[in-house]
Amino acid sequence: MSEEATTRQLVVFSLGDEEYALPIADVHEIIRYTEPRSVASSVDWVRGVISLRGKIVPVYDLASRLGCSPGEDVAEQKIVIVEAAAQLAGVVVDDVAEVITVDSDQLERVPSADEAAIDAIVKLDDRLIVLLSPDGLFGVGAEIAV
């Protein structure tokens, strides 16, 4: 097995006091927070849309989507542009911390395996980082309505 197959690079970010990560291969870029243009939606975690180099990109409130509390410093928030179900989407996070490389033995399956939004838990020293699945969060079956 090649080394590439046993390690993964992850973008680690915070939501409130919790740490989450997305696979770096799914992250297109990280931009400063700008207020999205509101759009009518039946989903309460849709913040709106932004124009990113001429493309309309939906922006989602990741804290609301995951049912957790966001941080209080809105000025430090970022929008992480990810690819989910072959489309770009932006997710609002409190701050982007780092890019890490983890071995497959540092990943543990989620106890509630029916949760499509969570890929695994990363065990890194005394930290537990929730590895999210963009397709599970916003892809097919995630009931995106913009």
Side-chain angles (χ1 to χ4, degrees):
M1 186 177 270
S2 71
E3 184 176 323
E4 188 175 70
T6 61
T7 63
R8 295 174 77 176
Q9 284 194 303
L10 309 174
V11 176
V12 179
F13 57 89
S14 61
L15 288 173
D17 295 330
E18 303 296 325
E19 288 187 299
Y20 294 87
L22 287 164
I24 199 166
D26 295 327
V27 175
H28 282 257
E29 63 186 287
I30 300 160
I31 61 173
R32 267 185 267 178
Y33 181 79
T34 57
E35 190 65 36
R37 168 86 164 77
S38 293
V39 293
S41 174
S42 61
V43 180
D44 62 356
W45 42 269
V46 173
R47 282 260 184 110
V49 296
I50 60 171
S51 177
L52 184 67
R53 287 183 290 291
K55 288 186 178 182
I56 300 299
V57 177
V59 176
Y60 304 109
D61 185 332
L62 192 54
S64 292
R65 171 69 174 98
L66 297 173
C68 64
S69 300
E72 296 176 15
D73 192 359
V74 177
E76 294 298 315
Q77 287 183 327
K78 307 281 189 289
I79 298 176
V80 178
I81 306 297
V82 298
E83 185 171 334
Q87 294 184 34
L88 292 182
V91 293
V92 177
V93 303
D94 290 335
D95 198 13
V96 176
E98 62 188 319
V99 174
I100 60 172
T101 301
V102 297
D103 294 319
S104 58
D105 64 349
Q106 292 174 290
L107 300 175
E108 191 160 313
R109 301 306 307 154
V110 182
S112 59
D114 60 345
E115 182 60 64
I118 299 174
D119 190 24
I121 303 293
V122 179
K123 297 180 293 181
L124 190 63
D125 300 323
D126 61 345
R127 296 162 64 190
L128 293 178
I129 302 168
V130 178
L131 176 56
L132 300 172
S133 166
D135 287 342
L137 281 170
F138 311 112
V140 179
E143 299 174 18
I144 296 176
V146 176

